[in-house]
Amino acid sequence: MKFAVLKFPGSNCDRDMYNAAVKSGVQAEFVDYRNTSLEGFDGVLIPGGFSFGDYLRSGAMASVAPITEEVKRFADEGKPVLGVCNGFQILTEIGLLPGALLHNDSHLFVSRNETLKVVNNKTMYTNLYEANEEVIYPVAHGEGHYYCTPEMYEALEANNQIVLKYLDNPNGSYNDIAGIINEKGNVCGMMPHPERAIESILGTDSGVKLFEAMVNSWREQNV
């Protein structure tokens, strides 16, 4: 299995994503945003950072980069697509996930470890966690308030698309939402950083299971 780690101008978590993928036992390769092909890859990781300096709004300029059409194709084909922080913002901008990310209610940049609850452990990203297991992932964002309408929230709940919730909401996200998936279950976006939570010596290794679950699920379906 081989993951593409996308690189945009301003990406600053791409190395962490690369390391997390390799630690989970797969190959990984950086792919520039100007590329138009993801042939030879089995999954896509969209890292955090400040793509294109977050001009206009977070993820807006990255959403029209040449590589995004290939990301959409991957999603349509059912391949795993994981977007974290700025990657989550990009996934909402290109329409692969519902909702939008707004400025934190505090209008301050928040950087700290957060305790989260795994509210859906039946996905390809969370099936190694226990139901309602508490995990610790770092957050680092200024526009992490997940917004959706009440009707959208009802649909997310009905389809079991909410995977993570904050226990101490750092940004004002609707009903404490920290991470969601699409209806098909192969596209996942979250503001917290599981790729920064893979070494206990750095404070938490809660993210290891997420990457291992993604890899194991793909192998079960394709090997």
Side-chain angles (χ1 to χ4, degrees), residues 83-158:
V84 172
C85 199
N86 191 229
F88 186 15
Q89 295 162 340
I90 292 169
L91 289 176
T92 61
E93 286 286 336
I94 64 179
L96 291 183
L97 290 175
L101 280 306
L102 310 179
H103 285 285
N104 299 344
D105 283 2
S106 66
H107 289 276
L108 298 174
F109 189 90
V110 178
S111 180
R112 67 191 190 210
N113 283 348
E114 283 292 335
T115 303
L116 310 154
K117 180 183 288 188
V118 180
V119 295
N120 180 359
N121 70 331
K122 304 298 183 183
T123 78
M124 69 178 299
Y125 300 93
T126 59
N127 59 40
L128 292 181
Y129 296 103
E130 299 295 326
N132 297 315
E133 181 175 342
E134 293 183 8
V135 299
I136 298 174
Y137 295 167
V139 299
H141 56 251
E143 296 179 47
H145 175 138
Y146 178 74
Y147 170 80
C148 65
T149 64
E151 293 76 19
M152 292 169 66
Y153 181 79
E154 289 179 8
L156 290 172
E157 283 254 285

